[in-house]
Amino acid sequence: MSDDQMVTIQVDGRELKAKAGTLLIEVTDAAGINIPRFCYHKKLSIAANCRMCLVEVAKVPKPLPACATPVNEGMQVYTRSPLALAAQKGTMEFLLINHPLDCPICDQGGECELQDIALGYGNDASRFVEGKRVVPDRDIGPLIATDFTRCIHCTRCVRFGAEIAGIRELGATGRGEHMEIGTYIEKSVDSELSGNIIDICPVGSLTSKPFLYSARAWELVQRKSIAPHDSVGSSLNLHVRRNQVMRVHPRDNEAVNECWISDRDRFSYEGLYSADRLTRPLVKKSGNWVETDWQEALEAVAQGLKRARGTSGNRLGALLSPGATLEEFYLAQKLMRGLGSENIDFRLRQSDFRAEEPAYPWLGQTIAQLDELNAALLIGSNIRKEQPILGHRLRKAALTGAQISFINPLELELNYHATQLVNSPAGMISDLAAVAKALGGYGGLIDSAEVSDVHHRLAEQLRTAERATVLLGNIAVAHPDYALIQGLARIIAGNSGSLLGYLPEAANSVGGRLAGALPGNDGSNAQEMLSNPHKGYLLMGVEPGFDCWNPARAMETLGQAEFVAALSAFRSQSLEQVADVILPIAAFAETSGTYVNAQGEWQSFSGAVAPAGESRPAWKVLRVLGNLLDLPGFDQVSSEEILAEARQVAGDRKPDNSADGGVAYERLLAGVGLTRIGDVPIYALDPLVRRAASLQKTRDAIEASSRINAREAAMAGLADGDKVVVKQDKNSAKLRVVIDPTVPDGCVRIPAGLVGTDTLGGQIGDVTLEKA
Amino acid sequence: MANEVCFRNMDQDRPWLLEQYRSRGGYEVLTRILREKTPPESIINEVKASGLRGRGGAGFPTGLKWSFIARNAPGQKYVVCNSDEGEPGTFKDRDVLRYNPHQLIEGMVIAGYAIGATRGYNYIRGEFWEPYERFEAALEEARAAGFLGRDLMGSGFDFELHSHLGAGAYICGEETALLESIEGKKGQPRYKPPFPAHFGLYGQPTIINNTESLASIPVIMEKGGQWFKELGVENSGGSKLFSISGNIKNPGVFEIPLGTPFAELLEMAGGMKNGSKIKAVIPGGSSAPIIPGEQMMQLTMDYDAIAKAGSMLGSGAVIVLDDRNCMVKVLERMSYFYYEESCGQCTPCREGTGWLYRVVHRIETGHGRPEDLALLDDMTTKIAGRTICALGDAAAMPVQGMLKHFREEFEYHITHKRCLVS
């Protein structure tokens, strides 16, 4: 029987058609026939262990599990016959004998699969009169609360770890009724996707620790939203109570996030309620910050910008967060252009702007297409932590045989087999040139490249694969020779027949370009604005100490300005040091807007809660500023109106990776001494996630430190735990030494975006270490 | 006629040595097969003709099992021997490993040849340290003599065989849990289909047979399937090892033709101990429902006769109980075993075996309730047939058998808080 042959089966007398071999539960689910189940999950392997979905199949004496029974022609199924019901009710009785009756205090209460199904299949009284099993809870980290007494041993969480997260962090130990879910040895669950086990746990064994005992499911109102961090733009459901986001769940979107979300998207909402949330406008008076009303603050901004502008708009610059909405980008650039300034940028973590960049860099393919790749080369990307869902997609491809390789300055902890070429940032350029040469590229530094076996192998993998891609990640963008990387990547992709793709850093890096939030003719880009002091600046959603490629220089440059106006959802030390007025704006979940994700999809969302305190959506703030500055075209009354205008201006501009870039650039990074690798850790990406308390307690939230391998440490006479003074340009920081074998020779990993490294220079550049 | 197959060398001194095995024509069948390049189909047909049924307990026809393998499909295939003999009352495979290891090795090589497998594993029960060492020594001898390894006797056929010692879990005697265990995973049965013939060890086609079944192969190939079949009776070909224990004079392992009256087997074991009266017999390992003694004395030891009496021949583990035994106590002990040995993956077995034990325990200790027997009856129907493997059935059947034949003892216990016997 061929696999795509259609068969007809009968379920409870209803005729259904399905592909032969499809699992019965999939057929009945599609037809809306409800069969109770616990262990079955559409994205996980079949375990058939809960025995809840037993149904009667004609001519088979025993009831069969619908989750593990393939359909065949003429099959007659009875889901509610006496045999089926007896089996289902029997299983339910067994499930309940040892399950605690603590539904009133269980966070799963009201949204519990066991509770729901028990209503239909359980008895009103138990025949079990013995003592119930008690299982000790385990501390598996700051995100997930455990109550293993409630566990029904469906093993969804175990299979999730093995199959989706790609790390077996949880397992079942012990036999019979002594079987327990746990980590075996004392340890935390650290996957960047770990929170999904909260959703797939059918009972209250695994619940959200930050949400623990804070609300009942039935008090929550569900509102749709889009995730605000990476460029996946995962679909979210925000659960709101009394104008507060209580928790975040994924919303099924097969084309984007399937049914998963990253922990960053799930738990960053905590940042909304951090102590340093800004709720009233602030103005600096004689060096002191004073709370004020909107009227005064807005007028101060309008006056300040006007004064700084003087006779030329070119004296003003705008630095915008790549996590701003498309509407905010659009109005901000309109405001700046209205004032005669073309100095607008959101590419705050890029230092090398020499290359002609594509008009709208994007993934170059759909997110779902990543699953189908046969080969991929990732350049300067820790995709797993930068874009967890894309990392998961790539892993799926790897598991079906795709050859994945990386050229990075750090060895990554991957959850699939891949080739990792780990070299210093300067060495990365040589590796890329060698791969380009192996593919027949020529010119500039390619001609002098030395091609080794591994370069040939990477080249061949891309060249021979039916579907191959070359992707540029965050570390590539931060590279001082990003222009060269782009040129080399273009040659590698072109000569190997691979798609060139960009992994946009933030939720709206693509949208920022479509909204025109880039420097116009003769305008200054972010680095120029942050190197050459302008008279006045407009900052939106930016913390200069943490969000810029070179925080020390950014602080110094902004400090020299006459006037800095900032729109911010948070109080921030580095912002308060340089700004003159800070206007409180709505954060994630508090405003409507649009994000354009990596695959170029415009995703609009509504606000789920009112902005905190007196803060206002940034688009409203910008519109009023436009009015106060007497600029035309600031009369929109809704974000939809702005979106319509932005769409019209964007016209038929589509994400597009084509450009004429070559490799005729001088190498700026010599890499002779020690090179700093300043990657941005997963939970340091933006102001919101930096304030998400629980995420900051995870293993991935690494502290500011100076990480070198044992060889380099020995040469410098340093040991793990020593204090060193790191000097970069004229800046310094005192940091702890951590011996880290993932860092290549000649390099020191000093992550960016963290308190303690914000006094240093560029993310990638020369540094020296001295024992303190 | 006894000791024709697995025990045919029991009269020898140190029969486990290669030299002794060869002195009676050992490995000659294998040599002939390899020399003559006997077509694998004819070997499988011979096994089919012998009527050999799986000696581990399920009684599935061995030849038929072998024929499910896609012999000519590319890729690794495996022969696995199940020596995890864990069924309470069973101790026959231990004696095959101890006294006739070479016949097992020869059987496994022939099986490998028949299905196109070049690698075999013998999974030996964790407690069988001595048999394991003896089997290991036999493997060494066989390797040195060229019966294992590459290009056996210049035939171009390779076969390597390894033993693997379990760690004491009863469930690893279930064939797919055994495969998981060899793979280094937790011993939990797999959902079937797919069966091991299609998706076995490391996902490759695998035959998995009991020790006694595989050790019977060289004799079947030497004397012919028909000869073997005629040792026994209709539908129960061959002779079989029975491990008989309980309140009898001489517990031990006996090879007798299938179809031999139980009374004769009991006689061979010296009859009842101290002349006590037979009360009941568990004919095929603790999972088989109990049969009252009088009824048992009329039965013959073959698959059909025992099945007709409502039990199973199983692994041939015969446990004989005399009239001093309290059936509540016996069942309590057996229920504890299944409670302890459930792997825990399926709900009815994980939760139900513990519940069964607790209810029986409470009756035994004088805390039974009038409704408990109905509860046990009902619970067993909700465990049996509702789980991935047969452990659920194995836990339920002894309870059902006991309540069918000895219900009054349980009722007496509940009412009088003490035993009917003694």
Side-chain angles (χ1 to χ4, degrees):
Chain A
M1 194 185 294
S2 77
D3 279 346
D4 48 4
Q5 191 186 326
M6 295 300 282
V7 296
T8 306
I9 64 168
Q10 269 199 2
V11 180
D12 300 335
R14 241 177 95 183
E15 222 165 69
L16 300 176
K17 285 199 185 307
K19 260 193 209 164
T22 314
L23 295 171
L24 177 56
I25 204 164
E26 292 173 1
V27 180
T28 51
D29 276 358
I33 296 167
N34 184 37
I35 297 175
R37 87 290 305 267
F38 296 107
C39 68
Y40 170 79
H41 189 281
K42 61 183 177 183
K43 293 285 181 188
L44 302 177
S45 65
I46 300 298
N49 62 27
C50 77
R51 318 308 285 176
M52 194 63 212
C53 68
L54 292 173
V55 294
E56 180 178 353
V57 177
K59 295 185 197 133
V60 182
K62 295 179 188 177
L64 295 178
C67 71
T69 304
V71 297
N72 50 47
E73 181 60 42
M75 196 178 201
Q76 287 187 36
V77 180
Y78 304 94
T79 70
R80 298 189 63 80
S81 65
L83 179 72
L85 278 176
Q88 294 157 4
K89 289 182 173 179
T91 296
M92 178 50 76
E93 181 173 26
F94 286 128
L95 281 172
L96 292 177
I97 64 171
N98 274 310
H99 190 81
L101 268 177
D102 66 345
C103 308
I105 58 127
C106 174
D107 261 3
Q108 196 84 354
E111 52 182 6
C112 173
E113 292 175 48
L114 184 64
Q115 201 178 35
D116 291 349
I117 297 174
L119 193 69
Y121 300 86
N123 286 326
D124 47 0
S126 175
R127 297 190 289 174
F128 184 75
V129 294
E130 281 73 15
K132 289 190 182 229
R133 174 175 57 224
V134 175
V135 182
D137 301 334
R138 293 178 180 84
D139 185 358
I140 58 168
L143 304 179
I144 300 160
T146 67
D147 191 323
F148 286 124
T149 300
R150 298 175 186 144
C151 178
I152 58 167
H153 311 90
C154 68
T155 69
R156 279 186 188 174
C157 57
V158 176
R159 285 174 282 145
F160 176 85
E163 296 161 22
I164 307 294
I167 354 176
R168 292 165 181 268
E169 294 186 294
L170 289 173
T173 54
R175 279 204 308 257
E177 63 173 47
H178 306 295
M179 174 167 158
E180 289 176 16
I181 299 297
T183 48
Y184 191 55
I185 52 165
E186 196 78 10
K187 85 175 267 306
S188 51
V189 168
D190 298 320
S191 158
E192 66 283 358
L193 299 172
S194 70
N196 292 296
I197 63 176
I198 296 167
D199 301 337
I200 62 174
C201 179
V203 295
S205 267
L206 301 169
T207 54
S208 164
K209 207 174 245 186
F211 174 74
L212 196 63
Y213 302 139
S214 59
R216 303 302 300 180
W218 53 87
E219 300 173 316
L220 302 172
V221 177
Q222 179 162 295
R223 303 230 160 90
K224 294 177 182 178
S225 192
I226 298 295
H229 303 292
D230 55 41
S231 68
V232 176
S234 290
S235 294
L236 303 180
N237 278 323
L238 308 182
H239 290 173
V240 173
R241 183 187 64 175
R242 295 198 289 274
N243 199 38
Q244 188 178 340
V245 178
M246 301 302 294
R247 62 178 184 186
V248 174
H249 275 192
R251 178 157 48 89
D252 280 15
N253 185 347
E254 203 51 37
V256 177
N257 52 301
E258 303 172 67
C259 57
W260 316 119
I261 52 172
S262 65
D263 288 357
R264 187 164 59 189
D265 290 345
R266 183 184 299 268
F267 295 108
S268 68
Y269 74 91
E270 276 194 292
L272 295 173
Y273 308 106
S274 65
D276 57 359
R277 189 67 207 273
L278 185 63
T279 52
R280 292 197 65 195
L282 293 175
V283 292
K284 203 187 251 169
K285 287 184 178 165
S286 346
N288 295 318
W289 284 103
V290 184
E291 284 190 351
T292 182
D293 58 30
W294 272 103
Q295 184 73 23
E296 187 191 343
L298 284 165
E299 274 168 15
V301 170
Q303 290 310 317
L305 287 177
K306 260 192 231 169
R307 226 182 2 257
R309 178 184 183 275
T311 55
S312 164
N314 200 30
R315 291 175 187 153
L316 298 178
L319 294 159
L320 315 172
S321 158
T325 66
L326 188 117
E327 292 79 353
E328 290 161 359
F329 275 133
Y330 178 76
L331 280 196
Q333 62 83 30
K334 190 172 184 181
L335 185 88
M336 292 307 288
R337 297 206 153 96
L339 290 168
S341 170
E342 290 291 336
N343 310 326
I344 307 153
D345 209 344
F346 62 89
R347 297 165 297 176
L348 309 179
R349 294 200 179 279
Q350 184 176 336
S351 83
D352 180 8
F353 292 85
R354 289 173 293 167
E356 184 211 324
E357 285 192 30
Y360 305 105
W362 68 304
L363 190 58
Q365 54 218 304
T366 68
I367 290 169
Q369 275 171 339
L370 294 179
D371 300 6
E372 315 287 328
L373 288 170
N374 305 111
L377 170 64
L378 284 94
I379 302 168
S381 174
N382 184 355
I383 191 168
R384 203 176 145 192
K385 303 293 177 182
E386 289 169 8
Q387 321 259 357
I389 293 292
L390 301 187
H392 158 64
R393 296 273 192 180
L394 211 56
R395 178 172 181 270
K396 285 208 273 183
L399 293 186
T400 56
Q403 312 271 357
I404 314 284
S405 42
F406 290 82
I407 294 181
N408 264 333
L410 291 169
E411 188 185 334
L412 309 179
E413 204 185 319
L414 291 173
N415 44 10
Y416 48 85
H417 176 77
T419 307
Q420 293 198 50
L421 221 66
V422 181
N423 210 331
S424 65
M428 281 172 67
I429 305 288
S430 311
D431 281 332
L432 286 168
V435 176
K437 192 175 183 178
L439 286 162
Y442 55 86
L445 73 174
I446 300 176
D447 298 337
S448 56
E450 286 174 34
V451 186
S452 72
D453 287 352
V454 66
H455 300 126
H456 276 298
R457 200 168 74 235
L458 295 196
E460 279 311 288
Q461 282 173 5
L462 292 176
R463 206 180 53 76
T464 55
E466 192 184 330
R467 286 177 299 272
T469 190
V470 174
L471 297 172
L472 294 167
N474 292 359
I475 302 172
V477 174
H479 199 288
D481 286 314
Y482 182 43
L484 275 171
I485 293 183
Q486 288 191 83
L488 291 165
R490 201 167 291 289
I491 291 168
I492 292 169
N495 288 13
S496 64
S498 310
L499 277 171
L500 179 66
Y502 289 78
L503 295 166
E505 180 195 19
N508 214 15
S509 297
V510 181
R513 291 176 191 260
L514 289 168
L518 286 178
N521 285 342
D522 299 328
S524 301
N525 61 44
Q527 278 319 300
E528 289 162 345
M529 278 187 264
L530 289 169
S531 310
N532 314 316
H534 287 51
K535 293 263 186 213
Y537 288 94
L538 176 71
L539 306 182
M540 182 165 75
V542 178
E543 283 187 275
F546 301 103
D547 290 322
C548 299
W549 185 78
N550 186 333
R553 194 162 63 199
M555 291 297 289
E556 190 188 341
T557 307
L558 291 170
Q560 292 170 33
E562 260 174 37
F563 181 76
V564 176
L567 280 65
S568 173
F570 302 98
R571 293 200 70 144
S572 154
Q573 218 182 351
S574 70
L575 195 56
E576 285 169 30
Q577 207 177 316
V578 297
D580 296 282
V581 183
I582 308 180
L583 304 175
I585 54 170
F588 160 67
E590 297 174 345
T591 180
S592 55
T594 305
Y595 287 146
V596 184
N597 67 6
Q599 63 182 354
E601 186 181 8
W602 296 48
Q603 303 194 101
S604 294
F605 48 88
S606 310
V609 291
E614 291 179 23
S615 66
R616 293 288 173 267
W619 69 264
K620 287 190 180 173
V621 176
L622 292 164
R623 191 203 62 200
V624 177
L625 276 177
N627 299 149
L628 287 175
L629 289 162
D630 299 321
L631 300 175
F634 283 84
D635 310 312
Q636 303 86 348
V637 295
S638 69
S639 66
E640 288 81 3
E641 211 174 309
I642 306 168
L643 178 64
E645 193 179 320
R647 242 186 223 289
Q648 204 167 19
V649 175
D652 52 6
R653 285 184 290 189
K654 288 268 184 308
D656 177 4
N657 285 342
S658 55
D660 295 328
V663 291
Y665 305 101
E666 188 192 340
R667 284 177 81 146
L668 296 181
L669 185 72
V672 179
L674 204 55
T675 306
R676 173 188 176 191
I677 302 155
D679 62 311
V680 181
I682 179 169
Y683 301 135
L685 182 70
D686 54 46
L688 182 65
V689 73
R690 286 195 291 267
R691 288 171 173 79
S694 302
L695 288 174
Q696 294 308 325
K697 292 181 207 148
T698 60
R699 188 172 149 250
D700 270 342
I702 59 172
E703 52 165 0
S705 49
S706 173
R707 310 169 84 92
I708 49 178
N709 68 34
R711 232 176 354 260
E712 288 291 337
M715 283 192 329
L718 295 170
D720 198 86
D722 281 356
K723 292 271 183 197
V724 283
V725 175
V726 179
K727 290 200 170 147
Q728 187 176 15
D729 313 327
K730 52 192 183 186
N731 317 294
S732 68
K734 196 169 159 186
L735 296 170
R736 201 166 66 88
V737 173
V738 175
I739 304 296
D740 184 341
T742 67
V743 181
D745 290 349
C747 296
V748 51
R749 179 183 176 205
I750 303 172
L754 303 175
V755 176
T757 64
D758 52 333
T759 54
L760 292 173
Q763 283 176 250
I764 296 177
D766 297 335
V767 289
T768 58
L769 301 184
E770 277 168 38
K771 197 164 178 174
Chain B
M1 291 276 280
N3 294 356
E4 296 269 357
V5 185
C6 291
F7 274 9
R8 62 175 173 167
N9 59 346
M10 288 301 259
D11 58 316
Q12 285 181 304
D13 176 40
R14 297 197 292 166
W16 55 85
L17 296 177
L18 177 64
E19 182 190 343
Q20 293 286 54
Y21 183 62
R22 293 191 75 175
S23 72
R24 295 267 179 93
Y27 287 113
E28 277 176 17
V29 175
L30 175 64
T31 310
R32 194 191 71 220
I33 288 171
L34 292 177
R35 192 181 56 234
E36 293 175 2
K37 302 214 185 306
T38 310
E41 304 87 73
S42 72
I43 297 176
I44 294 175
N45 286 336
E46 206 59 47
V47 176
K48 278 186 181 167
S50 75
L52 175 65
R53 292 171 61 169
R55 297 298 195 226
F60 191 82
T62 304
L64 188 59
K65 203 178 205 179
W66 289 13
S67 66
F68 292 150
I69 293 257
R71 269 199 333 274
N72 301 317
Q76 184 67 52
K77 296 170 206 70
Y78 295 98
V79 175
V80 175
C81 174
N82 186 345
S83 299
D84 191 50
E85 187 166 55
E87 183 76 9
T90 316
F91 43 89
K92 63 182 180 74
D93 295 334
R94 183 181 60 177
D95 281 358
V96 175
L97 295 171
R98 274 155 118 190
Y99 300 119
N100 205 358
H102 282 291
Q103 196 168 308
L104 173 59
I105 294 170
E106 186 175 6
M108 287 186 75
V109 182
I110 296 171
Y113 176 85
I115 65 150
T118 60
R119 199 161 280 267
Y121 291 91
N122 185 16
Y123 189 97
I124 299 175
R125 176 178 171 157
E127 293 87 342
F128 283 0
W129 184 252
E130 184 214 346
Y132 168 76
E133 286 192 317
R134 195 164 282 173
F135 186 75
E136 279 288 301
L139 285 179
E140 277 312 308
E141 285 184 315
R143 266 183 214 119
F147 297 122
L148 287 175
R150 295 196 156 275
D151 190 19
L152 300 183
M153 286 164 270
S155 64
F157 175 65
D158 304 336
F159 194 81
E160 193 44 87
L161 178 54
H162 305 280
S163 48
H164 181 101
L165 202 61
Y170 170 67
I171 194 60
C172 289
E174 197 281 342
E175 58 182 23
T176 55
L178 185 153
L179 297 178
E180 292 279 298
S181 178
I182 294 181
E183 290 179 11
K185 301 175 189 159
K186 192 180 179 201
Q188 288 192 161
R190 298 176 183 166
Y191 184 79
K192 293 160 288 270
F195 289 93
H198 297 116
F199 189 92
L201 188 60
Y202 302 111
Q204 298 300 122
T206 301
I207 56 161
I208 172 161
N209 292 112
N210 171 255
T211 314
E212 184 188 346
S213 309
L214 285 166
S216 303
I217 300 298
V219 185
I220 291 171
M221 294 312 297
E222 182 193 326
K223 300 194 174 173
Q226 194 58 30
W227 170 86
F228 183 84
K229 188 184 169 124
E230 283 168 6
L231 287 178
V233 292
E234 181 62 30
N235 224 9
S236 297
S239 62
K240 164 138 190 51
L241 300 176
F242 285 91
S243 5
I244 181 164
S245 63
N247 307 123
I248 53 169
K249 227 172 247 165
N250 302 319
V253 185
F254 299 92
E255 183 184 323
I256 53 171
L258 285 166
T260 304
F262 167 73
E264 272 179 40
L265 177 63
L266 184 60
E267 196 54 41
M268 290 168 87
M272 298 304 292
K273 202 173 182 179
N274 304 326
S276 61
K277 187 167 178 285
I278 186 167
K279 179 174 186 177
V281 175
I282 300 167
S286 65
S287 316
I290 199 160
I291 297 178
E294 290 155 25
Q295 189 185 353
M296 194 66 202
M297 290 304 282
Q298 311 305 318
L299 295 177
T300 52
M301 299 305 286
D302 57 83
Y303 292 101
D304 291 353
I306 304 291
K308 226 175 277 168
S311 189
M312 307 184 304
L313 190 69
S315 57
V318 183
I319 303 171
V320 183
L321 303 170
D322 70 16
D323 57 4
R324 290 166 303 170
N325 284 289
C326 166
M327 288 310 192
V328 182
K329 181 80 189 162
V330 171
L331 183 61
E332 185 205 20
R333 187 65 197 82
M334 295 201 303
S335 292
Y336 184 78
F337 177 81
Y338 293 105
Y339 160 52
E340 188 62 34
E341 295 295 343
S342 165
C343 85
Q345 74 173 323
C346 301
T347 306
C349 178
R350 177 183 66 243
E351 307 293 344
T353 51
W355 196 4
L356 278 181
Y357 164 68
R358 285 180 177 86
V359 174
V360 178
H361 175 71
R362 126 175 133 212
I363 298 172
E364 166 63 17
T365 53
H367 299 87
R369 304 164 179 219
E371 65 272 23
D372 279 350
L373 297 187
L375 177 62
L376 286 175
D377 284 335
D378 184 53
M379 227 194 292
T380 57
T381 64
K382 288 175 173 166
I383 300 172
R386 306 280 168 80
T387 52
I388 287 176
C389 80
L391 195 140
D393 305 77
M397 282 190 292
V399 180
Q400 290 172 338
M402 283 289 193
L403 292 180
K404 182 173 157 200
H405 295 296
F406 300 98
R407 201 175 188 91
E408 70 285 357
E409 279 191 45
F410 287 79
E411 283 165 350
Y412 189 90
H413 243 282
I414 291 171
T415 324
H416 297 89
K417 320 278 183 211
R418 61 184 175 84
C419 293
L420 182 61
V421 293
S422 73

